[in-house]
Amino acid sequence: MNQLNKEEVRVFYPDQQTVSQAAIQGMQAYDALCAEAEADYEGFWAKLARELLSWHKPFKTVLDESDAPFYQWFPDGELNVSYNCLDRHLEKRGNKTAILFEADDGSSTAVSYRDLYQSVCKFANGLKSLGLKTGDRVVIYMPMGVEVIVAMQACARLGLIHSVVFGGFSSKSLVERIEDAQPRIIITSDGQFRGGKQMPIKSAVDEALQEEQSRCVEKVIVFKRTGEAISWDDSRDIRWDDLVANQPDSCEPAWVSAEHPLFLLYTSGSTGKPKGVQHASAGYLLHALNTMRWTFDIKDSDVFWCTADVGWITGHSYVAYGPLAAGATQVVFEGIPTYPDASRFWKVIEKHKVSIFYTAPTAIRTLIKLGGDLPAQHDLSSLRLLGSVGEPINPEAWKWFYHEVGGGRCPIMDTFWQTETGGHVITPLPGVTPLVPGSCTLPFPGLDVAVVDESGNEVERGIGGFLVIRKPWPSMIRNIWNDPERYKQSYFPEDLGGKLYLAGDGAIRDPETGYFTIMGRIDDVLNVSGHRMGTMEIESALVANPLVAEAAVVGKPHDIKGESIVAYVVLKGERPTGDAAKNLVESLRAWVGKEIGPIAKPDEIRFGDNLPKTRSGKIMRRLLRALARGDDITADISTLENPAILQQLKS
Ligand code: WTA
């Protein structure tokens, strides 16, 4: 457990120059906002929604709880998300840079709000010409770039529901998502550049579309990124450039209900296939925008950079939607942190004068290892605020980030949140919250966060428990696509009374400050390099291999990645040893890479004649986790059917 060290509490307010203009000033203002939400919960959110969003038709109802836990926010209001991200900035910010695109090869392009608006309108008109209509699904499988944002915004403009699939997922994963979301269109590119290499991407779409489950897909739109030769199906494939060639550069937005689904984003749970997390238009955008203001203190003069790929929720909220809704200038980065070398991030910050930098602990730890002294060789004086997301940031990495990157001037916003929460849940606010390395500190105003026991009762501070959110909030998940039952069971379990949103993380609060520390997942979800992965998915992938009889997957702490993946495998044939075992490990890793994607490849595979099971046949994962860590088994193993197996699985 991560103990809070009180000596490390640093107060940034009121002397901190970098955040002197912060949106919320001081702890009193924070307390006042929390009190406001407490006193009139709906009024608190309604006021923000009225102030921050442009409505086509104003809402009268704030929160409809009649079908809880299927909550509806501002349900009788109408708006358009893309209008809120683009059109409303044109008058004041038409010439302002919306996107500074930093390509893998180090070249960059600036795209103004007007340019972006026109590209989105043209592309939306192109989509319309294909007969797409509000509510249709569109899968986007593209590398990072301006066009992926254009594609997402164009969908939003027409009320099409996009589902972005991370480019690192395999064609099989793509098929799984296509089968569930039933898109009519897929948007992809010919190839992609990553770390100086040219790599295919459309080929995975071609492969996916050969499957029976993908028959719903009518057309594939292909953006030309690399110009490489690719296979082409004239009856199905359309060039992006051809689609937009003669389209007008304005396009009336589709005015949709506040509750109209904006997107689906698939994420891993502890059981079954990835779930299609469904977000609604207004509530989601409200929080994406308001967290840009309160957490990141966004100003017109800022250059914001969130390094996440749009394939993940962070890239949705803090690349594709939040910064644009705020009218901010942001860097969009195609490359990787280690190409051409480990100073790439620092070069980009220096070059584009980034003032707010939001990244993941894994990236920070990698860069410490590969070149801890490199930030000092760059002019990072433009920075005023730092952010961290996706996994717990260990105090050592926090301190390095704070001193070496932030020059001891920039507060770090350690933002805890999830795909399902749409935006920040627990985070410090600049100019407000005294920081403690390793703690995400306090709830975002309005979010009613608590730590509870197995029956849903709040535990005392200093005692660990389940992290829950007690009241519905605007940017919350609305449903799991095609699976409302699973939505209820996963997030509003009856054991806890059926009303609390269960985040799936363990947490503890500091007795004195009330600060939250996240203790990691309480379910079988791993967090590898900030990527969420279900152990069950990896197990299913392994078992799908003809040689494998049984598999169990657990996580093990890892210095850089946070967690690494350890798989225990029982083969149908003999347990291999020596070179045969080594070769099989490699081929099973490659297999998982093809089944799910390279990010899911086990770091370690151990073969056994069996797995440790109770007499009723349940795999004892607790023991497997201990074995993976190399711990001595001190737990009671008397219920174990086959204790001898533990010795075999030790390494
Ligand atoms: C973990 C990413 C500790 C947590 C935005 C959560 C964190 C899961 C933090 C969601 C943080 C995210 N400190 N843990 N600041 N941020 N997590 O859906 O386990 O990809 O449940 O969303 O990441 O991952 P997801």
Side-chain angles (χ1 to χ4, degrees):
M1 192 193 313
N2 203 342
Q3 284 295 344
L4 301 183
N5 178 351
K6 294 206 189 63
E7 278 155 39
E8 285 172 342
V9 175
R10 295 162 210 270
V11 181
F12 286 95
Y13 190 79
D15 316 318
Q16 191 52 241
Q17 227 192 336
T18 46
V19 294
S20 61
Q21 303 172 35
I24 302 172
Q25 304 235 325
M27 209 61 202
Q28 277 174 343
Y30 170 82
D31 288 339
L33 279 170
C34 295
E36 196 185 317
E38 180 78 33
D40 176 9
Y41 192 66
E42 291 189 18
F44 172 84
W45 291 113
K47 186 169 150 222
L48 284 168
R50 288 194 183 104
E51 275 174 19
L52 300 187
L53 300 180
S54 300
W55 293 88
H56 181 67
K57 179 179 162 225
F59 59 88
K60 290 206 181 81
T61 307
V62 181
L63 171 63
D64 181 347
E65 301 186 84
S66 56
D67 194 21
F70 300 92
Y71 298 99
Q72 301 204 4
W73 282 90
F74 326 116
D76 52 358
E78 281 178 16
L79 83 181
N80 179 276
V81 167
S82 140
Y83 178 91
N84 274 274
C85 293
L86 300 168
D87 308 43
R88 66 170 174 163
H89 301 311
L90 290 182
E91 201 178 316
K92 259 177 58 192
R93 301 188 177 102
N95 293 326
K96 181 178 172 173
T97 299
I99 294 175
L100 287 160
F101 175 60
E102 169 80 15
D104 187 62
D105 67 2
S107 60
S108 47
T109 357
V111 180
S112 71
Y113 269 91
R114 181 161 296 106
D115 295 340
L116 188 63
Y117 163 82
Q118 290 178 345
S119 304
V120 168
C121 287
K122 278 178 165 241
F123 192 68
N125 285 323
L127 290 176
K128 248 197 211 167
S129 74
L130 299 176
L132 289 167
K133 51 180 199 320
T134 302
D136 284 343
R137 270 84 58 214
V138 172
V139 159
I140 301 177
Y141 185 68
M142 291 176 90
M144 277 299 274
V146 176
E147 291 70 25
V148 72
I149 297 172
V150 169
M152 292 165 81
Q153 286 283 343
C155 286
R157 195 160 191 91
L158 301 179
L160 308 175
I161 305 168
H162 64 65
S163 180
V164 181
V165 178
F166 174 57
F169 278 120
S170 68
S171 70
K172 281 232 166 128
S173 294
L174 194 55
V175 173
E176 218 167 68
R177 286 153 175 81
I178 291 171
E179 187 179 10
D180 192 61
Q182 294 285 300
R184 290 180 62 190
I185 300 279
I186 298 189
I187 307 172
T188 187
S189 66
D190 53 353
Q192 57 183 327
F193 293 112
R194 266 180 84 77
K197 291 191 204 100
Q198 190 171 318
M199 295 190 310
I201 179 160
K202 181 178 182 273
S203 51
V205 175
D206 292 337
E207 212 180 307
L209 293 191
Q210 279 166 16
E211 302 299 322
E212 185 69 13
Q213 302 95 303
S214 308
R215 285 230 315 252
C216 53
V217 178
E218 296 161 28
K219 298 283 176 201
V220 177
I221 301 169
V222 187
F223 174 70
K224 180 173 157 190
R225 176 67 190 112
T226 58
E228 66 195 274
I230 47 170
S231 68
W232 197 265
D233 175 348
D234 268 328
S235 66
R236 188 197 70 191
D237 299 345
I238 303 172
R239 286 182 183 80
W240 175 297
D241 290 345
D242 292 346
L243 186 70
V244 300
N246 297 312
Q247 297 297 345
D249 57 13
S250 68
C251 169
E252 174 71 9
W255 303 112
V256 296
S257 149
E259 279 296 309
H260 183 71
L262 178 62
F263 64 83
L264 311 178
L265 184 58
Y266 286 82
T267 190
S268 297
S270 45
T271 55
K273 290 184 172 177
K275 33 194 187 188
V277 171
Q278 180 185 325
H279 275 287
S281 299
Y284 170 80
L285 191 68
L286 175 63
H287 202 50
L289 172 54
N290 198 34
T291 46
M292 286 299 297
R293 297 167 70 232
W294 289 357
T295 310
F296 293 128
D297 182 35
I298 193 79
K299 298 280 185 282
D300 247 329
S301 52
D302 276 313
V303 177
F304 180 80
W305 183 20
C306 165
T307 64
D309 191 286
V310 283
W312 309 106
I313 190 67
T314 308
H316 279 60
S317 304
Y318 300 106
V319 180
Y321 290 111
L324 296 178
T329 296
Q330 69 171 323
V331 172
V332 170
F333 180 47
E334 179 183 42
I336 56 170
T338 50
Y339 176 79
D341 56 49
S343 65
R344 183 66 186 271
F345 275 2
W346 325 128
K347 286 201 181 103
V348 173
I349 292 172
E350 181 170 9
K351 175 174 166 190
H352 297 295
K353 302 202 168 33
V354 171
S355 55
I356 305 174
F357 180 56
Y358 191 32
T359 194
T362 295
I364 297 169
R365 291 190 293 258
T366 306
L367 296 177
I368 295 175
K369 189 166 171 215
L370 296 180
D373 54 339
L374 291 173
Q377 298 170 24
H378 295 84
D379 177 6
L380 305 181
S381 59
S382 56
L383 287 173
R384 68 180 188 95
L385 214 67
L386 301 173
S388 169
V389 57
E391 46 180 323
I393 177 164
N394 47 311
E396 297 70 38
W398 193 101
K399 286 179 200 159
W400 181 86
F401 197 32
Y402 180 71
H403 290 290
E404 302 305 318
V405 179
R409 291 172 293 114
C410 312
I412 301 176
M413 303 300 113
D414 174 1
T415 60
F416 167 84
W417 59 295
Q418 310 176 296
T419 305
E420 294 87 342
T421 68
H424 305 156
V425 173
I426 309 178
T427 176
L429 301 182
V432 175
T433 324
L435 307 177
V436 173
S439 166
C440 47
T441 75
L442 296 170
F444 192 86
L447 279 120
D448 186 9
V449 188
V451 181
V452 302
D453 63 18
E454 289 93 25
S455 330
N457 300 315
E458 187 162 13
V459 297
E460 267 175 57
R461 287 181 178 184
I463 296 176
F466 305 139
L467 190 77
V468 297
I469 306 177
R470 289 186 289 210
K471 293 193 190 110
W473 68 103
S475 66
M476 69 190 295
I477 175 177
R478 293 300 193 271
N479 205 344
I480 292 176
W481 191 252
N482 289 329
D483 207 344
E485 256 324 294
R486 192 171 172 204
Y487 165 80
K488 279 207 257 187
Q489 284 163 11
S490 317
Y491 302 114
F492 299 92
E494 285 303 328
D495 306 358
L496 300 185
K499 287 215 156 94
L500 305 173
Y501 168 84
L502 179 69
D505 284 287
I508 187 165
R509 300 188 68 170
D510 181 75
E512 218 167 284
T513 57
Y515 277 17
F516 288 78
T517 292
I518 306 297
M519 302 195 299
R521 300 286 307 190
I522 52 169
D523 50 13
D524 291 319
V525 172
L526 306 182
N527 191 327
V528 182
S529 301
H531 301 322
R532 228 169 113 167
M533 232 142 4
T535 49
M536 176 106 133
E537 277 171 70
I538 307 172
E539 287 164 8
S540 308
L542 285 165
V543 173
N545 185 290
L547 299 175
V548 175
E550 222 179 346
V553 167
V554 297
K556 163 179 166 179
H558 186 276
D559 283 352
I560 307 258
K561 302 203 259 188
E563 252 180 319
S564 65
I565 305 171
V566 181
Y568 296 88
V569 170
V570 180
L571 297 176
K572 287 179 186 155
E574 288 275 290
R575 186 166 76 99
T577 51
D579 278 350
K582 266 194 209 140
N583 294 339
L584 195 53
V585 165
E586 274 326 303
S587 76
L588 286 177
R589 291 186 71 236
W591 172 271
V592 175
K594 266 204 93 62
E595 287 286 303
I596 305 176
I599 51 171
K601 284 184 184 176
D603 298 86
E604 229 181 282
I605 296 182
R606 300 182 188 180
F607 297 105
D609 294 323
N610 206 336
L611 297 171
K613 288 182 190 150
T614 60
R615 297 211 173 88
S616 57
K618 205 166 163 272
I619 296 172
M620 294 188 76
R621 285 167 187 283
R622 196 167 36 85
L623 293 180
L624 290 176
R625 274 193 284 268
L627 282 175
R629 284 196 301 265
D631 292 352
D632 289 333
I633 305 289
T634 48
D636 177 16
I637 52 169
S638 58
T639 54
L640 203 59
E641 170 76 36
N642 49 352
I645 202 70
L646 295 179
Q647 194 57 32
Q648 197 181 67
L649 294 174
K650 258 192 173 152
S651 58

